[in-house]
Each structure stands twice: as C-alpha cells, then as structure tokens.
Amino acid sequence: MSGLLLCIGLLVIYPYYQYFVDPDATAYLTISRRYAADDFARAVNGYWSPWSCWLTALGIKTGLAAFPAAIIANALGALCFLFVSHSLFILFAIERRLQWALNSALAGFLLYATFKQTFDDLWECVFLLTSLRVMLSAGYLHRPRLWVLNGVIGVLAYFAKAYAFPFFILNTVCCSYFLSRLEDEKGNGWIKASVFPVVVMIVCSSWWIYLLYNKYGIITTSTAGTLNTSWYLVGHPLWADGIKALVPPIYHDSPYYWEDPYLVNGDTPHFWNGLRLFLLQIVKAGFNLLKMVKSMGEISAFMLATWILAWGVLFASRLRMVFDRKLRVLTLSFLLFPLGFVLINFEARYIWYMLPLSMVLGALAIQRFRENMGGYAKIVAAVFALSYLVWPIWDMKGMANEGRTEHQTAKKLKALNVNGSFTANVVYGPQMPAVARLAYFSGCRYYNMPHSDVPKQQLLQEMRRYRVKYYFHYQPNIDGNDFQFRDEAGVPFPEVSQGRLSGLKVFLVNP
C-alpha cells in the first residue's frame, strides 16, 4: 500500500520538480548519456558511481529523456528501500499498526529523497540494508550460499556508491563476529562468514577497478574519497598545473569540469602530510560530529535519541536484557555507518542508511515501554512516525520549481543563437547550482571561475587562451542596467542578450 502511495505521489509532484538538476546531477546525467551512446571510454568515471548511470542509460536507450529516466531509476530504488525496510520491521516484530505508520512516513520521506538526490544514495542504502538483512537471516554463519549472496550484494552496493566498499568490509566483519558471540559460537568459524563475502565482492568488482586504473593510472576504488577528504581539509581544491583563472570542462561536450574533477585537480594534501594538517583534521572532525547531529535532526527529531539508545543496547547490560539479542547487530551497523564521514563535509543524505534502522530502534522502544507512557503511547508513536516528514516537507517547499528559470533561460539562449562556451561572474556558492543547470539545459560549456578576485586583464587573457565565446553577467541590476563588459582598451563587447534575459546579460567576447 505504501509503495502504491509512493508511486502516485511521484506522478503527482513530478511537474513541480522536473527541473531540479543539481550540480551532481549534471555530471551523472552527462555520464548516463555517454553510456547510452556507447561512449564507454569517457563514461567510465572514478568520482561518480556507475550503478544509477547504467540504469538511467537503459531508460535513455528506450527513448526516454535523461532526467525522467533518472527519476524512474531512482524511484525503483525508493521502492526497494521501502521493501527492505518493511522486511526489517517484520523481522524485529514491529506491531502491525506501528508498521503501517512507519511505512507511510517512510513513503513520504522517499518521495522527497527521490528528487533530493537523483543518483547513488538511495541505491547504496538499498543494497547495504539488504546485506544487513541477509546477515540477520537464520543460520547465516553456517550457510555459504548466503555468504556468496552477501558478497554479490556488496558489489552492487559499491557500484551504487563508492563509500559502500570500505563500509561493506567493516560491517560484514563486525556483524559476523557479533553474530558468533550472540550464538555462542566457539572458535573462528565467523571468519569464513566474513572473509568469503568480502573476497567475492573484491573479485567481482575487480574489472571496474581495472577500468579506473586504465583511465587514471592509479589503483583505486574511487577518486571521490581522496578528493573529498583533501578538499574539505584545506577548504578548496588545488588545481592542476596550467589552470589559472578558469577551470575548463573535461571534454568538448561536458557541461563543466564537475563531470570528472580528478582530471583537473592537482595535489591532494591529507592530514598525514604534516603536523598542521593533522591538527586541522582533528578540528574538522570535531566540527563534523556537530554537523552529524544536525544531519540527524534533518532526518528526525528522534534520531539523536535512537543513536543514544543504540549505544545503550550495545553496551548497557540492563538494556541488552530488554531487547532481542539480534538487535545488537543492527545497532552495531547503525553506529558504524557514519564513521567514515567524520573526515568530510556531513550531509543528511549521507546517512539515509540509518533511517530505517532508527525506526526499528524507536518502534521497539515504544513497544517495550508502552506501559510507562500510559495513555500517551499512541500519541508518541504517531509523533515518532510523523517526525520523519517534518524536514522533507519543509525542504520540498524550497525545491519546488527550482531550475525552471534556468530551463526557460536556456530556451531563450537557443532562440538568440547563443551556443558554445561561456564563463560567468559566479564563484562557488549559492548561485553555482543555477549556473550548472543553465550549462546543462543550454548545452553550452561552462568555464568555471573559482576565484572572485580575478583581475579583468587576466580573465580576458584566459578567455582568449581557451577561446571562451561568451561572458555571462548575473544580477546586472547591481551595476545598473547600463553595465557593459569591456576589453583592455575600454571598448565594450557586443551584448547579444538584447535585454530579453531577466537578471542576466550575455556578451560576445570571442566570435
């Protein structure tokens, strides 16, 4: 029933979110188109995971436009997320009425999640939750078929998002060990149940790792971890030699460099490269823990409480006696998952895996302590379920119709015969997603200007160096409607926008 509600909801709200293409999606959609066009050499990418791109490419090959194909693929992930979460609710004997409330709330949350992050996160959660569910199956430690199945699921999780590679290994080993202790297994039999799935996962993903090696010349499961941890530590990328005021797109038909940032990145300093960076990493880690609390609050007001409860279930003897023994395995996975994000910028979508696990913990606590709540038990249960919808409803209000302006502007640019490359008076910040969307919708190649203090002369030199055709000037009202973009001699470049673009002027620099 909740799956049907999710599908109907997606159809109803799609018109309001059909242009919500964030910077990440511009890269994913471009890569998906490359796969659909059999352009495999350029489609292989170490920064953006391939699973959702493959699914979207299949949709494109059937005749769908790229974004609807991506939403359909992500909606399928949302349905699978709902299914595996329900399986956990049943496994831990959540009461039927509470199951209905949680499934309904989860359907509403997934309605939001499908558009909030069009690629990777939902599918990663699906496969990792399925892996956890397999390990919680009866007799897992003695069923080699389940080990193989778990390893295959681990491969899919890695293809969905690179973070799953290290987490799957850690989670499988730790959960297998805990299961052996819970079942009073003697000896090291649990090692087979943990090592075998990991070997299957590594062997089955080796072909992809080889493709990454063939493209980048390094043995890696992903370039995302190296880049993200370095960028967050020093606060900005360090560009490759030769890159000055403008960062060029990766390929001649890339929207901008974000399609594969590793190819324009230079050094990647990390905390082990010096004492100053080591101390800075400690400060950043502490700040990230605070951001983790914030991210938990964006999922549910009860998320932090369930996180504290998880620690109690794992380490407090009184709570261990109250709950099912297998719940300790779930709580272990719940607590392990966010550890890797301590080194990078924290976002709520990174920990969606924890959402259904927190529902299980909260629902079991409500059931166990219902008598202590008296007549308020039903109210507490309802508030608990509804808490997962507060932030999605709030955030979806801001997301509604986002990108529509850029889509309409792109149409006007095409009508004005504006095509080719451009740069703009926008640096990384709130307006960056709008420029990225405009580049994607218009088909124009965006040369990103990462620094706001670039001297005019240097900017013009860079535009001539790369033969950048247009200069886009946003918010001309700040400078007055008479703003002109001029060369070194003070001669204005011709304006081709003809006053037809609201909040934007376009100047032809290199015909």
Side-chain angles (χ1 to χ4, degrees), residues 84-94 98 102 129 132 136 306 309 323 326-327 330-331 334 354-367 384 388:
V84 69
S85 299
H86 182 65
S87 177
L88 288 170
F89 298 159
I90 293 173
L91 177 68
F92 286 98
I94 306 299
L98 197 46
L102 294 177
L129 288 169
L132 177 63
L136 289 171
T306 59
L309 175 63
F323 294 103
K326 278 194 174 182
L327 186 64
L330 181 144
T331 56
F334 180 79
M354 300 170 67
L355 189 154
L357 307 187
S358 72
M359 284 184 163
V360 170
L361 283 164
L364 289 177
I366 291 171
Q367 289 179 188
F384 176 69
Y388 291 89

Side-chain angles (χ1 to χ4, degrees), residues 407-452:
H407 188 266
Q408 293 173 345
T409 301
K411 284 185 176 181
K412 293 177 182 178
L413 288 174
K414 292 175 182 178
L416 291 167
N417 200 30
V418 174
N419 57 77
S421 56
F422 75 96
T423 189
N425 63 325
V426 173
V427 296
Y428 188 82
Q431 204 169 6
M432 185 67 184
V435 183
R437 273 193 293 268
L438 183 59
Y440 176 78
F441 289 141
S442 66
C444 295
R445 302 184 309 280
Y446 173 38
Y447 283 72
N448 176 252
M449 185 164 55
H451 306 293
S452 59

Side-chain angles (χ1 to χ4, degrees), residues 202-445:
I202 293 174
V203 170
C204 291
S205 60
S206 60
W207 65 275
W208 178 254
I209 296 172
Y210 172 75
L211 289 178
L212 296 181
Y213 170 76
N214 195 48
K215 182 167 186 175
Y216 301 105
I218 57 173
I219 298 176
T220 183
T221 58
S222 166
T223 60
T226 297
L227 293 180
N228 289 344
T229 52
S230 176
W231 293 344
Y232 186 63
L233 180 61
V234 301
H236 56 82
L238 296 175
W239 305 111
D241 292 340
I243 293 179
K244 299 176 182 177
L246 295 178
V247 185
I250 300 302
Y251 304 113
H252 73 276
D253 54 352
S254 297
Y256 74 125
Y257 83 91
W258 200 231
E259 182 183 344
D260 197 346
Y262 185 84
L263 296 179
V264 293
N265 196 81
D267 293 333
T268 52
H270 291 88
F271 65 85
W272 55 80
N273 294 132
L275 179 60
R276 186 186 70 83
L277 291 176
F278 179 78
L279 295 175
L280 181 60
Q281 186 67 78
I282 293 175
V283 173
K284 294 273 188 177
F287 182 59
N288 272 353
L289 290 175
L290 296 177
K291 294 185 76 173
M292 183 181 75
V293 175
K294 176 180 178 293
S295 296
M296 286 182 177
E298 290 181 7
I299 292 176
S300 166
F302 292 91
M303 189 75 167
L304 182 59
T306 59
W307 186 72
I308 295 171
L309 175 63
W311 282 99
V313 170
L314 212 56
F315 297 108
S317 56
R318 289 185 179 181
L319 281 177
R320 285 205 303 269
M321 295 174 63
V322 168
F323 294 103
D324 184 282
R325 297 175 74 191
K326 278 194 174 182
L327 186 64
R328 295 179 217 171
V329 179
L330 181 144
T331 56
L332 175 65
S333 185
F334 180 79
L335 294 172
L336 287 174
F337 189 76
L339 292 180
F341 296 114
V342 172
L343 299 179
I344 64 173
N345 189 29
F346 228 105
E347 291 184 35
R349 66 182 176 89
Y350 294 166
I351 56 172
W352 284 347
Y353 171 79
M354 300 170 67
L355 189 154
L357 307 187
S358 72
M359 284 184 163
V360 170
L361 283 164
L364 289 177
I366 291 171
Q367 289 179 188
R368 179 62 183 82
F369 301 109
R370 178 182 287 110
E371 293 180 0
N372 302 78
M373 301 176 191
Y376 296 102
K378 290 183 179 180
I379 297 175
V380 171
V383 171
F384 176 69
L386 290 172
S387 70
Y388 291 89
L389 295 177
V390 175
W391 179 259
I393 292 172
W394 174 263
D395 203 21
M396 287 191 81
K397 287 173 60 181
M399 289 166 52
N401 293 312
E402 190 169 337
R404 188 179 294 274
T405 298
E406 291 77 45
H407 188 266
Q408 293 173 345
T409 301
K411 284 185 176 181
K412 293 177 182 178
L413 288 174
K414 292 175 182 178
L416 291 167
N417 200 30
V418 174
N419 57 77
S421 56
F422 75 96
T423 189
N425 63 325
V426 173
V427 296
Y428 188 82
Q431 204 169 6
M432 185 67 184
V435 183
R437 273 193 293 268
L438 183 59
Y440 176 78
F441 289 141
S442 66
C444 295
R445 302 184 309 280

Side-chain angles (χ1 to χ4, degrees), residues 141 147 177 180-181 185-195:
L141 294 177
W147 304 348
Y177 175 77
S180 70
R181 300 284 78 81
E185 294 278 349
K186 295 182 180 180
N188 297 322
W190 63 273
I191 295 179
K192 293 181 181 179
S194 57
V195 172

